[in-house]
Structures are given as C-alpha cells and as structure tokens.
Amino acid sequence: MKTPAHLAAMHDDSALRAAFARAFGGRAPAALARAPGRINLIGEHTDYNGLPVLPFALPHAVRIAFAPRDDARIVLRHAREEHPPSEFIASPAIEHDPPGSWANYVKAAVEHFARLLLETSGAAARGFDALVDGDIPQAGGLSSSSALVVATALAFCEVNALSLPPLELASHCAAAERYVGTQGGGMDQAASILGAPGCALRIDFFPLAATPVPFPEGWAVLACHSLVRAAKTEEARAEFNRRVGECRVAAALLGRALDRPEAPRLGDFAKEFGTAACVRALGEAVPPDSKILARARHVFEEAERVAEATRALAAGDMRTLGRLMSDAHASARDLYEISGPALEELVRLFLEGGALGARLTGAGFGGFAIALGEEDPLARLMAEVDDRFYRVRAPARPLEELRFIARPAEGARVVRV
Ligand code: NG1
C-alpha cells in the first residue's frame, strides 16, 4: 500500500532531523527548508526571451535542515556521500568551487542574499550549519539545481531575518543562480516558490507575475528520464548559452529592422508587432535557412502555444493542451534543435501508448520527457515504458529513480522545528 503523502513527508522530515543531529554533534536543526522541482507543461526557452511558460511544482523537492551559527560560516553537508562536504564564509563575494560542484548552487544563493542583506540593512550575514537532501532526479531538466538555490535562499533568509514577498524572492533567486554561469530565465525558481497544489502556473516575465491555472482532477503527467544526462555543468551548458546568444542576435537584428534598437528581448518585439510581422522582418534580414530565424520562430510560436494552452487548461480542454504539447515538442526538435534520439523514442512510445500529448521538458539535450493523460491509463503507459525502454536500456537501474507520475504540488516553504 502507498504511504499517504503527508505521512511520507513527516517520515522524511524526522529522518532528516536525525541525520542533521548525527552530522552536527547532536545539535538539533532550527528549521527545515523545502523547495520543489518542476515540470514544464509548455513554454520552452521562452522565459529568458521575456515570454510566458506553464510549469507546475513537483512533489519531489530539495530539503535542507539548518541551524544558525554564531559566526558567518556556512557548514554544508549532503545526505548522499557522492556530494562532498563544503565550508565557506557567507559574504557578498564568494569564491567558486570547480564547475560541477553541488556547493556552487548553495554559494550562488548565499552570495546573492548576503549582498542584498548588506545593501538593504547594512548587516553582515550570519552563517548556518546545513544538511541537504532531496529526491529530485538530477541533470534531468526538472530544476534540481534551482530547487537547491531556492531552499538555500529560504534558509539564509530565515537565519538572517530577511523577509521578501514571494515574487521578489523568485526574481532574486533567478539572479542568484547566474553565479553558476547559465544565462537562464526565471521559470524554475518562480515555479518552485509560487507552486500551488492542484494548479499549473502561468508565469510571465519582466515584470514577473504568476497566475495559478487549475489542473483538472484525474489528470496527471508521466515523466520519464531519457537516460541521457542534461547537466548544465557540462556541454549542455555551452549549448544552452548558445541558444540564449542566438536569441539575442535575433533581437538585435529585429531591433534594426523594426527600428527599436533599445528593445533587448524577442518578447518585446512579439508584444509590439506580433509573431507574423516579427518572423517576416527577420526573414528579410537573414538567409531562409538561418539558425537565427529558426530559433526566433520557435520562441515566437511557442509563446502563442503557451497562451492557447493556458486557455485550454483553464477550460479543462485537455485534448487541446495535449495537441499543443506535441506541437511544442516538434518545434523544440526541428527549430530549436534540443531533442535527441532517446527523447524522440520516449515521445514516440508515449504517443503510441495513447498519451494525449508528449514532449521533452526543461532545457532539453537529454533529461526528462513527459506525457499528458488520465491517471489510470498513464499507469499502464508507465508499465509499458518500463518494458520497452528501461528494461532494454538500463536493466540494472532502479525504476523509481527514472520515472514517475505526478500532479501539481505545493511550493517552497520553511518549517520551524
Ligand atoms: P532546466 O531544464 O532546469 O535546465 C533551463 C532554465 C530555464 C528555462 C529552461 C528552458 C536555468 C536555471 N533554467 O531549465 O530558465 O530557460 O531551461 O525552457 O537556467
């Protein structure tokens, strides 16, 4: 029998508290910070272009047990041995670990919020002991890294009595994460902070705004790892930043063509001129087979799909939502070139197995694919994917780490103990 979610969470919390005591000489944590990962239903690579997304917060989360210290030191332990301990001083300028180190995501939040604290109140940061754990699959496009940034930010703010409204906190977390070198938008941090149970979130940028959209009962998403790592610390980071650069070039060309040299993002043009005029103007500025044109077309059309998908979800029209998700996948594959053979195989299995829509989720270049459907048929589909994908490609891997069925869950929070 399945353990009810709240009992499982209580069990996890007491295990984390006990592990904290073991790691820190019997000391009890003062509080737990919990920040979920997310899946994105639709709206890929639109956020950093100032255009909307439609993600939801997952039941999977990063959890940090923490207790304030009397000095400025951050003493960091991870419940999993593969993540080595780290210690550093909380300050507005923190030296990076080598790329790929998990501690960089903690440093990202601590450096940013220590600077904010100094600027807003003149106070120096207080440090804390922290034990980190979590169950978000890593390098999968489910925002495990942003969840770590958000959970750290919550712990830092709690210890330093820094109080921010959720939207501001989300903007700061997005800015903080650039410490690790990716030029991402703000989707992941906003989805983690603002997530609402039973709702997807339509998120807009510049200025950041989030509107919950109810996700009908009985419906869910099957999420399956393609077995290809999408770690932003490796080549995928260079590919990701290349896409950001291509969009900036497209915006600069449009600025010249449409006489708006000061507009920084593709979203500024979409909002003023509309998709058709933007694609036409860019098409006159570059050769028809230019990558720049393909990338910009994806971004403009994806934003239109997000608008339509939001309306469909609000109306409970899951068939239309599914069709738009599959269209988004084709565009991500053909125009944005962020899919790959394993993701394609999963999407094909999903659609053959009766999913209403299927696509990669997150940055792409590997990671997870998702399928939309009703809960019972999705459970059957998952069993089929186990047989036809995982038992063939990864017979030794525990299936629980690789795929799950999820509905929208709650956003990040701190629980005092
Ligand atoms: P993931 O899938 O977590 O790597 C990245 C960006 C998002 C967004 C998506 C693509 C970060 C932290 N996240 O997400 O902002 O641009 O790609 O839609 O850079």
Side-chain angles (χ1 to χ4, degrees), residues 38 40 43-48 141 143 146 177 182 184-189 232 240 362-363:
R38 60 102 187 96
N40 188 15
E44 227 58 88
H45 293 267
T46 44
D47 61 350
Y48 53 82
S143 301
S146 298
E177 194 163 335
T182 33
M187 161 166 65
D188 303 347
Q189 302 83 359
K232 282 209 282 325
F240 181 90

Side-chain angles (χ1 to χ4, degrees), residues 20-21 28 34 58 64 66 72 84 89 119 121-122 140 144 161 181 212 231 271 290 292-293 349:
F20 182 95
R34 183 185 179 282
L58 286 172
I64 305 183
F66 61 95
I89 301 292
E119 283 167 6
S121 69
S144 59
K271 286 169 197 159
S290 146
I292 300 288
L293 182 60
L349 288 176

Side-chain angles (χ1 to χ4, degrees), residues 186-210:
M187 161 166 65
D188 303 347
Q189 302 83 359
S192 182
I193 290 169
L194 301 157
C199 290
L201 289 178
R202 147 96 187 211
I203 304 176
D204 290 273
F205 302 91
F206 309 107
L208 185 64

Side-chain angles (χ1 to χ4, degrees), residues 137-182:
Q138 289 173 24
L142 302 183
S143 301
S144 59
S145 54
S146 298
L148 180 51
V149 172
V150 170
T152 305
L154 289 178
F156 183 94
C157 289
E158 177 76 12
V159 166
N160 287 281
L162 185 60
S163 165
L164 292 169
L167 284 172
E168 254 178 65
L169 180 67
S171 295
H172 278 293
C173 285
E177 194 163 335
R178 307 221 167 91
Y179 177 93
V180 301
T182 33

Side-chain angles (χ1 to χ4, degrees), residues 38-42 54-60 142 199-200 215-225 313 318 321-322 325 350 355-362 368-379 381-382 402-409:
R38 60 102 187 96
I39 61 108
N40 188 15
L41 285 171
I42 192 163
L54 189 65
F56 67 67
L58 286 172
H60 307 69
L142 302 183
C199 290
F215 193 88
E217 283 300 325
W219 292 83
V221 162
L222 166 65
C224 292
H225 203 302
L313 183 59
M318 303 305 264
L321 175 62
M325 288 169 65
F350 290 164
L356 276 195
R359 59 183 294 273
L360 63 83
T361 192
F368 274 75
I370 56 171
L372 178 72
E374 287 182 272
E375 275 169 305
D376 290 341
L378 277 190
L381 179 56
M382 184 163 88
L402 299 172
R403 85 302 185 250
F404 55 86
I405 292 172
R407 284 185 43 80

Side-chain angles (χ1 to χ4, degrees), residues 218-310:
W219 292 83
V221 162
L222 166 65
C224 292
H225 203 302
S226 63
L227 303 173
V228 176
R229 278 174 62 78
K232 282 209 282 325
T233 46
E234 297 154 23
E235 302 123 64
R237 177 165 70 171
E239 279 297 326
F240 181 90
N241 287 341
R242 188 168 310 134
R243 297 296 183 283
V244 178
E246 286 164 342
C247 290
R248 286 194 188 136
V249 171
L253 290 169
L254 273 179
R256 218 177 301 154
L258 298 170
D259 199 21
R260 291 285 183 283
E262 73 292 352
R265 282 177 279 271
L266 289 178
D268 300 316
F269 297 99
K271 286 169 197 159
E272 184 172 353
F273 299 99
T275 295
C278 290
V279 171
R280 201 177 323 114
L282 195 58
E284 284 165 12
V286 297
D289 58 352
S290 146
K291 297 274 187 218
I292 300 288
L293 182 60
R295 308 301 190 233
R297 249 188 71 201
H298 164 80
V299 170
F300 290 133
E301 292 169 4
E302 183 82 345
E304 294 196 335
R305 281 189 286 270
V306 172
E308 206 184 330
T310 307

